[in-house]
Amino acid sequence: MSKVVEVSAAVIERNGGQEFLLACRPEGKVYAGYWEFPGGKVEAGESHRQALDRELQEELGITVTAATPWISRRFVYPHATVRLKFFRVTAWEGEIAPIEHSAFAWARIGMDAGVEPILPANGPILRALALPPLYALTQAEERGVEAEMARLERALAGGLKLVQVRDKQLPPAVRADFAARVVALARAHGARVLLNAPDEASDLLARRLGADGLHLPAARLQTLTARPDFPLVAASCHSPQELALADRLELDFSVLGPVRPTPSHPEQAGLGWDVFGEWVFDCAQPVYALGGMTTTELETARRHGAQGIALMRGW
């Protein structure tokens, strides 16, 4: 087996995270003319963050002042096997210049990058970037269907873009009707909806309603050997082993928790941020923090490697 080359890569963001930078590899390098996220090899004695800072100074002439760890991707090229540790860079000093690239371009998240060809390893990164920082879970069982629909309409009008229809204890007909209403309302606001799917009957319902995908409870995740055939598939995870399984199944994202004790399970101790950060550091998919979260903890979550936060309350 060939040695794995450790690489730090940067998703440099501007305009409130709506745009990101791509750079073109120069003549004389492997994959010359291909577009990539800037970065480079981790040298002996360096941490991934130290390598990131050095590479961006050398390649673009900037000094990073704010960066948070994100996902890791392993990719086998003909010439090398690389493991890319991505960081989201949100602040820097200096003017970006293509010192070691032939060009650079800003692309808008969620839209066609506008440049090609892009390095093969970066396709999943572009899809992951389209995920928002907030993942809202419905609570119609506790609040009532009409109250939850009203809450959801307000949140969607305020910019919410990703919703999970949870409410697994509702009577099947009531849950199906509620889910259909959520899908229709979300469509009107350009948001995506996943249906919590403890069984294949839920898969059929999601397909019939035109939901964007499934959210797999941990118990069902552990039974799978292949990714369900939906455009968007996520899972609940509670251990490194479950996160690794979600990676092997190439799911789009996971939710990990509880980070803190929750009102519904106050007797359970949370993982805490240090353990959360340790478990997600090598994940290939984005991970949302769940459990006792509030919107005020979004930046804390991102500092520890999270895509964002998942909430049942407070959205």
Side-chain angles (χ1 to χ4, degrees):
M1 182 179 296
S2 61
K3 180 181 178 181
V4 176
V5 178
E6 295 288 336
V7 172
S8 288
V11 179
I12 302 175
E13 301 178 352
R14 71 176 186 183
N15 291 342
Q18 295 303 304
E19 294 180 303
F20 63 93
L21 188 85
L22 290 171
C24 188
R25 294 177 66 84
E27 292 298 324
K29 284 197 172 185
V30 178
Y31 285 98
Y34 277 73
W35 292 80
E36 65 177 356
F37 292 95
K41 181 180 176 182
V42 178
E43 302 292 352
E46 283 185 321
S47 67
H48 283 88
R49 175 58 197 270
Q50 288 169 335
L52 178 86
D53 293 349
R54 176 183 52 75
E55 287 287 346
L56 295 191
Q57 181 67 58
E58 294 172 356
E59 293 185 6
L60 301 175
I62 61 173
T63 299
V64 175
T65 57
T68 54
W70 194 37
I71 59 180
S72 300
R73 300 289 303 190
R74 184 185 176 104
F75 199 82
V76 180
Y77 287 104
H79 68 287
T81 298
V82 298
R83 190 178 77 100
L84 299 113
K85 179 61 188 177
F86 285 85
F87 290 79
R88 301 183 85 152
V89 176
T90 53
W92 59 90
E93 295 175 350
E95 294 294 324
I96 293 175
I99 297 171
E100 293 188 2
H101 292 88
S102 59
F104 69 86
W106 291 97
R108 191 163 181 84
I109 286 176
M111 300 180 68
D112 186 274
V115 294
E116 60 180 18
I118 295 175
L119 278 180
N122 291 325
I125 307 305
L126 298 177
R127 292 191 294 274
L129 278 174
L131 292 170
L134 180 63
Y135 182 33
L137 285 59
T138 61
Q139 270 192 303
E141 294 168 8
E142 179 177 317
R143 296 173 180 268
V145 168
E146 296 308 322
E148 192 67 342
M149 289 301 304
R151 180 170 77 130
L152 181 61
E153 186 164 15
R154 291 192 297 271
L156 291 167
L160 178 66
K161 292 300 180 185
L162 188 61
V163 181
Q164 178 196 145
V165 176
R166 196 169 179 272
D167 300 304
K168 294 176 284 187
Q169 302 307 314
L170 286 176
V174 175
R175 185 178 193 240
D177 179 70
F178 173 62
R181 293 173 65 186
V182 171
V183 169
L185 184 60
R187 286 283 181 277
H189 289 274
R192 292 187 284 180
V193 177
L194 280 70
L195 183 67
N196 193 290
D199 50 38
E200 292 185 2
S202 298
D203 300 6
L204 295 174
L205 176 61
R207 207 174 295 281
R208 178 167 64 83
L209 298 180
D212 296 280
L214 307 177
H215 186 101
L216 307 170
R220 186 175 179 202
L221 170 68
Q222 295 173 32
T223 70
L224 297 180
T225 57
R227 172 194 167 110
D229 185 20
F230 280 82
L232 195 60
V233 183
S236 293
C237 296
H238 309 289
S239 69
Q241 293 75 24
E242 289 172 355
L243 289 170
L245 176 55
D247 275 353
R248 290 197 297 274
L249 295 175
E250 298 185 341
L251 303 191
D252 295 284
F253 67 91
S254 292
V255 169
L256 175 63
V259 178
R260 300 188 186 281
T262 65
S264 55
H265 299 90
E267 74 285 353
Q268 292 185 6
L271 299 174
W273 284 118
D274 288 344
V275 172
F276 179 94
E278 177 184 341
W279 287 5
V280 305
F281 188 82
D282 288 325
C283 284
Q285 92 248 236
V287 180
Y288 289 85
L290 175 70
M293 294 292 99
T294 66
T295 54
T296 61
E297 293 193 272
L298 177 58
E299 290 308 312
T300 299
R302 293 188 70 166
R303 285 198 304 271
H304 289 84
Q307 171 71 21
I309 55 176
L311 295 169
M312 284 193 291
R313 299 168 177 82
W315 51 264

mmCIF file of all heavy atoms in Angstrom, residues 206-233:
data_model
loop_
_atom_site.group_PDB
_atom_site.id
_atom_site.type_symbol
_atom_site.label_atom_id
_atom_site.label_comp_id
_atom_site.label_asym_id
_atom_site.label_seq_id
_atom_site.Cartn_x
_atom_site.Cartn_y
_atom_site.Cartn_z
ATOM 1 N N ALA A 206 -41.406 8.860 1.842
ATOM 2 C CA ALA A 206 -40.549 9.956 1.382
ATOM 3 C C ALA A 206 -40.566 10.070 -0.133
ATOM 4 O O ALA A 206 -40.644 11.171 -0.695
ATOM 5 C CB ALA A 206 -39.119 9.749 1.883
ATOM 6 N N ARG A 207 -40.521 8.928 -0.809
ATOM 7 C CA ARG A 207 -40.542 8.940 -2.278
ATOM 8 C C ARG A 207 -41.885 9.446 -2.797
ATOM 9 O O ARG A 207 -41.949 10.220 -3.747
ATOM 10 C CB ARG A 207 -40.222 7.545 -2.807
ATOM 11 C CG ARG A 207 -39.588 7.549 -4.187
ATOM 12 C CD ARG A 207 -39.151 6.165 -4.604
ATOM 13 N NE ARG A 207 -38.100 5.611 -3.791
ATOM 14 C CZ ARG A 207 -36.817 5.922 -3.897
ATOM 15 N NH1 ARG A 207 -36.440 6.836 -4.770
ATOM 16 N NH2 ARG A 207 -35.915 5.352 -3.122
ATOM 17 N N ARG A 208 -42.955 8.985 -2.172
ATOM 18 C CA ARG A 208 -44.289 9.388 -2.613
ATOM 19 C C ARG A 208 -44.515 10.882 -2.428
ATOM 20 O O ARG A 208 -45.156 11.530 -3.262
ATOM 21 C CB ARG A 208 -45.350 8.588 -1.845
ATOM 22 C CG ARG A 208 -46.793 8.968 -2.189
ATOM 23 C CD ARG A 208 -47.777 7.961 -1.661
ATOM 24 N NE ARG A 208 -47.796 7.863 -0.209
ATOM 25 C CZ ARG A 208 -48.482 8.694 0.581
ATOM 26 N NH1 ARG A 208 -49.184 9.682 0.070
ATOM 27 N NH2 ARG A 208 -48.465 8.526 1.903
ATOM 28 N N LEU A 209 -43.981 11.438 -1.351
ATOM 29 C CA LEU A 209 -44.189 12.849 -1.064
ATOM 30 C C LEU A 209 -43.224 13.759 -1.821
ATOM 31 O O LEU A 209 -43.404 14.985 -1.821
ATOM 32 C CB LEU A 209 -44.037 13.106 0.439
ATOM 33 C CG LEU A 209 -45.031 12.396 1.362
ATOM 34 C CD1 LEU A 209 -44.743 12.751 2.812
ATOM 35 C CD2 LEU A 209 -46.468 12.761 0.990
ATOM 36 N N GLY A 210 -42.205 13.178 -2.427
ATOM 37 C CA GLY A 210 -41.215 13.999 -3.107
ATOM 38 C C GLY A 210 -40.238 14.676 -2.171
ATOM 39 O O GLY A 210 -39.692 15.740 -2.492
ATOM 40 N N ALA A 211 -40.000 14.064 -1.005
ATOM 41 C CA ALA A 211 -38.998 14.598 -0.087
ATOM 42 C C ALA A 211 -37.615 14.518 -0.733
ATOM 43 O O ALA A 211 -37.370 13.697 -1.623
ATOM 44 C CB ALA A 211 -39.011 13.833 1.230
ATOM 45 N N ASP A 212 -36.703 15.360 -0.263
ATOM 46 C CA ASP A 212 -35.362 15.386 -0.844
ATOM 47 C C ASP A 212 -34.521 14.193 -0.422
ATOM 48 O O ASP A 212 -33.537 13.862 -1.081
ATOM 49 C CB ASP A 212 -34.656 16.671 -0.440
ATOM 50 C CG ASP A 212 -35.361 17.894 -1.004
ATOM 51 O OD1 ASP A 212 -35.150 18.204 -2.188
ATOM 52 O OD2 ASP A 212 -36.142 18.512 -0.260
ATOM 53 N N GLY A 213 -34.897 13.546 0.699
ATOM 54 C CA GLY A 213 -34.104 12.407 1.131
ATOM 55 C C GLY A 213 -34.536 11.870 2.472
ATOM 56 O O GLY A 213 -35.646 12.144 2.947
ATOM 57 N N LEU A 214 -33.636 11.090 3.068
ATOM 58 C CA LEU A 214 -33.917 10.381 4.310
ATOM 59 C C LEU A 214 -32.944 10.790 5.401
ATOM 60 O O LEU A 214 -31.776 11.097 5.131
ATOM 61 C CB LEU A 214 -33.769 8.866 4.110
ATOM 62 C CG LEU A 214 -34.538 8.189 2.982
ATOM 63 C CD1 LEU A 214 -34.164 6.712 2.943
ATOM 64 C CD2 LEU A 214 -36.033 8.383 3.152
ATOM 65 N N HIS A 215 -33.435 10.749 6.644
ATOM 66 C CA HIS A 215 -32.559 10.819 7.811
ATOM 67 C C HIS A 215 -32.690 9.489 8.542
ATOM 68 O O HIS A 215 -33.769 9.122 8.995
ATOM 69 C CB HIS A 215 -32.936 11.964 8.742
ATOM 70 C CG HIS A 215 -31.953 12.128 9.855
ATOM 71 N ND1 HIS A 215 -30.975 13.094 9.857
ATOM 72 C CD2 HIS A 215 -31.766 11.407 10.996
ATOM 73 C CE1 HIS A 215 -30.241 12.971 10.945
ATOM 74 N NE2 HIS A 215 -30.702 11.949 11.663
ATOM 75 N N LEU A 216 -31.573 8.760 8.651
ATOM 76 C CA LEU A 216 -31.571 7.419 9.213
ATOM 77 C C LEU A 216 -31.276 7.462 10.710
ATOM 78 O O LEU A 216 -30.229 7.986 11.118
ATOM 79 C CB LEU A 216 -30.499 6.566 8.527
ATOM 80 C CG LEU A 216 -30.534 6.520 7.005
ATOM 81 C CD1 LEU A 216 -29.286 5.838 6.468
ATOM 82 C CD2 LEU A 216 -31.793 5.810 6.516
ATOM 83 N N PRO A 217 -32.145 6.916 11.552
ATOM 84 C CA PRO A 217 -31.785 6.757 12.960
ATOM 85 C C PRO A 217 -30.585 5.819 13.091
ATOM 86 O O PRO A 217 -30.331 4.983 12.206
ATOM 87 C CB PRO A 217 -33.048 6.145 13.581
ATOM 88 C CG PRO A 217 -34.145 6.445 12.622
ATOM 89 C CD PRO A 217 -33.516 6.460 11.259
ATOM 90 N N ALA A 218 -29.855 5.922 14.187
ATOM 91 C CA ALA A 218 -28.648 5.120 14.368
ATOM 92 C C ALA A 218 -28.941 3.624 14.285
ATOM 93 O O ALA A 218 -28.139 2.854 13.734
ATOM 94 C CB ALA A 218 -27.987 5.462 15.692
ATOM 95 N N ALA A 219 -30.080 3.194 14.825
ATOM 96 C CA ALA A 219 -30.400 1.763 14.809
ATOM 97 C C ALA A 219 -30.526 1.251 13.382
ATOM 98 O O ALA A 219 -30.068 0.143 13.072
ATOM 99 C CB ALA A 219 -31.698 1.510 15.577
ATOM 100 N N ARG A 220 -31.116 2.035 12.501
ATOM 101 C CA ARG A 220 -31.231 1.575 11.114
ATOM 102 C C ARG A 220 -29.902 1.699 10.382
ATOM 103 O O ARG A 220 -29.565 0.839 9.552
ATOM 104 C CB ARG A 220 -32.302 2.368 10.369
ATOM 105 C CG ARG A 220 -32.532 1.794 8.971
ATOM 106 C CD ARG A 220 -33.641 2.412 8.210
ATOM 107 N NE ARG A 220 -33.748 1.806 6.894
ATOM 108 C CZ ARG A 220 -34.325 2.373 5.856
ATOM 109 N NH1 ARG A 220 -34.921 3.558 5.993
ATOM 110 N NH2 ARG A 220 -34.361 1.765 4.689
ATOM 111 N N LEU A 221 -29.151 2.753 10.665
ATOM 112 C CA LEU A 221 -27.839 2.918 10.038
ATOM 113 C C LEU A 221 -27.004 1.660 10.210
ATOM 114 O O LEU A 221 -26.345 1.196 9.270
ATOM 115 C CB LEU A 221 -27.119 4.113 10.670
ATOM 116 C CG LEU A 221 -25.648 4.306 10.303
ATOM 117 C CD1 LEU A 221 -25.505 4.686 8.842
ATOM 118 C CD2 LEU A 221 -25.009 5.374 11.202
ATOM 119 N N GLN A 222 -27.041 1.069 11.384
ATOM 120 C CA GLN A 222 -26.207 -0.093 11.680
ATOM 121 C C GLN A 222 -26.619 -1.340 10.913
ATOM 122 O O GLN A 222 -25.861 -2.307 10.857
ATOM 123 C CB GLN A 222 -26.228 -0.354 13.177
ATOM 124 C CG GLN A 222 -25.604 0.756 13.998
ATOM 125 C CD GLN A 222 -25.777 0.563 15.486
ATOM 126 O OE1 GLN A 222 -25.825 -0.549 15.990
ATOM 127 N NE2 GLN A 222 -25.886 1.660 16.218
ATOM 128 N N THR A 223 -27.788 -1.344 10.300
ATOM 129 C CA THR A 223 -28.251 -2.516 9.543
ATOM 130 C C THR A 223 -27.894 -2.432 8.071
ATOM 131 O O THR A 223 -28.079 -3.415 7.336
ATOM 132 C CB THR A 223 -29.779 -2.673 9.659
ATOM 133 O OG1 THR A 223 -30.436 -1.615 8.936
ATOM 134 C CG2 THR A 223 -30.221 -2.668 11.113
ATOM 135 N N LEU A 224 -27.399 -1.289 7.606
ATOM 136 C CA LEU A 224 -27.234 -1.062 6.170
ATOM 137 C C LEU A 224 -25.848 -1.454 5.673
ATOM 138 O O LEU A 224 -24.852 -1.307 6.376
ATOM 139 C CB LEU A 224 -27.492 0.408 5.837
ATOM 140 C CG LEU A 224 -28.903 0.943 6.124
ATOM 141 C CD1 LEU A 224 -28.994 2.410 5.738
ATOM 142 C CD2 LEU A 224 -29.958 0.130 5.379
ATOM 143 N N THR A 225 -25.830 -1.920 4.435
ATOM 144 C CA THR A 225 -24.563 -2.200 3.753
ATOM 145 C C THR A 225 -24.402 -1.337 2.506
ATOM 146 O O THR A 225 -23.357 -1.387 1.850
ATOM 147 C CB THR A 225 -24.473 -3.675 3.355
ATOM 148 O OG1 THR A 225 -25.601 -4.009 2.522
ATOM 149 C CG2 THR A 225 -24.471 -4.577 4.579
ATOM 150 N N ALA A 226 -25.433 -0.577 2.165
ATOM 151 C CA ALA A 226 -25.375 0.304 1.002
ATOM 152 C C ALA A 226 -26.209 1.550 1.279
ATOM 153 O O ALA A 226 -27.181 1.504 2.041
ATOM 154 C CB ALA A 226 -25.884 -0.405 -0.253
ATOM 155 N N ARG A 227 -25.848 2.625 0.655
ATOM 156 C CA ARG A 227 -26.576 3.887 0.801
ATOM 157 C C ARG A 227 -27.952 3.774 0.149
ATOM 158 O O ARG A 227 -28.067 3.292 -0.984
ATOM 159 C CB ARG A 227 -25.774 5.002 0.125
ATOM 160 C CG ARG A 227 -26.485 6.336 0.024
ATOM 161 C CD ARG A 227 -25.754 7.256 -0.943
ATOM 162 N NE ARG A 227 -26.585 8.409 -1.274
ATOM 163 C CZ ARG A 227 -26.338 9.656 -0.871
ATOM 164 N NH1 ARG A 227 -25.274 9.904 -0.143
ATOM 165 N NH2 ARG A 227 -27.141 10.641 -1.227
ATOM 166 N N PRO A 228 -29.012 4.213 0.829
ATOM 167 C CA PRO A 228 -30.329 4.255 0.190
ATOM 168 C C PRO A 228 -30.301 5.166 -1.035
ATOM 169 O O PRO A 228 -29.567 6.150 -1.089
ATOM 170 C CB PRO A 228 -31.233 4.830 1.286
ATOM 171 C CG PRO A 228 -30.543 4.493 2.568
ATOM 172 C CD PRO A 228 -29.075 4.589 2.252
ATOM 173 N N ASP A 229 -31.128 4.843 -2.010
ATOM 174 C CA ASP A 229 -31.114 5.539 -3.293
ATOM 175 C C ASP A 229 -31.970 6.803 -3.238
ATOM 176 O O ASP A 229 -33.089 6.842 -3.760
ATOM 177 C CB ASP A 229 -31.601 4.600 -4.397
ATOM 178 C CG ASP A 229 -31.497 5.234 -5.777
ATOM 179 O OD1 ASP A 229 -30.721 6.200 -5.919
ATOM 180 O OD2 ASP A 229 -32.184 4.763 -6.708
ATOM 181 N N PHE A 230 -31.441 7.813 -2.575
ATOM 182 C CA PHE A 230 -32.084 9.121 -2.496
ATOM 183 C C PHE A 230 -31.027 10.190 -2.734
ATOM 184 O O PHE A 230 -29.842 9.978 -2.457
ATOM 185 C CB PHE A 230 -32.725 9.337 -1.125
ATOM 186 C CG PHE A 230 -34.065 8.675 -0.951
ATOM 187 C CD1 PHE A 230 -34.143 7.329 -0.631
ATOM 188 C CD2 PHE A 230 -35.239 9.395 -1.128
ATOM 189 C CE1 PHE A 230 -35.372 6.703 -0.478
ATOM 190 C CE2 PHE A 230 -36.478 8.784 -0.977
ATOM 191 C CZ PHE A 230 -36.550 7.441 -0.651
ATOM 192 N N PRO A 231 -31.422 11.359 -3.229
ATOM 193 C CA PRO A 231 -30.437 12.412 -3.489
ATOM 194 C C PRO A 231 -29.693 12.879 -2.248
ATOM 195 O O PRO A 231 -28.520 13.262 -2.330
ATOM 196 C CB PRO A 231 -31.281 13.552 -4.079
ATOM 197 C CG PRO A 231 -32.509 12.893 -4.626
ATOM 198 C CD PRO A 231 -32.774 11.732 -3.721
ATOM 199 N N LEU A 232 -30.374 12.871 -1.100
ATOM 200 C CA LEU A 232 -29.779 13.379 0.133
ATOM 201 C C LEU A 232 -30.058 12.376 1.244
ATOM 202 O O LEU A 232 -31.220 12.051 1.509
ATOM 203 C CB LEU A 232 -30.384 14.743 0.470
ATOM 204 C CG LEU A 232 -29.691 15.632 1.501
ATOM 205 C CD1 LEU A 232 -28.267 15.965 1.051
ATOM 206 C CD2 LEU A 232 -30.485 16.908 1.720
ATOM 207 N N VAL A 233 -29.002 11.880 1.880
ATOM 208 C CA VAL A 233 -29.155 10.888 2.946
ATOM 209 C C VAL A 233 -28.252 11.273 4.115
ATOM 210 O O VAL A 233 -27.053 11.511 3.936
ATOM 211 C CB VAL A 233 -28.805 9.462 2.480
ATOM 212 C CG1 VAL A 233 -29.065 8.459 3.609
ATOM 213 C CG2 VAL A 233 -29.607 9.076 1.238
#
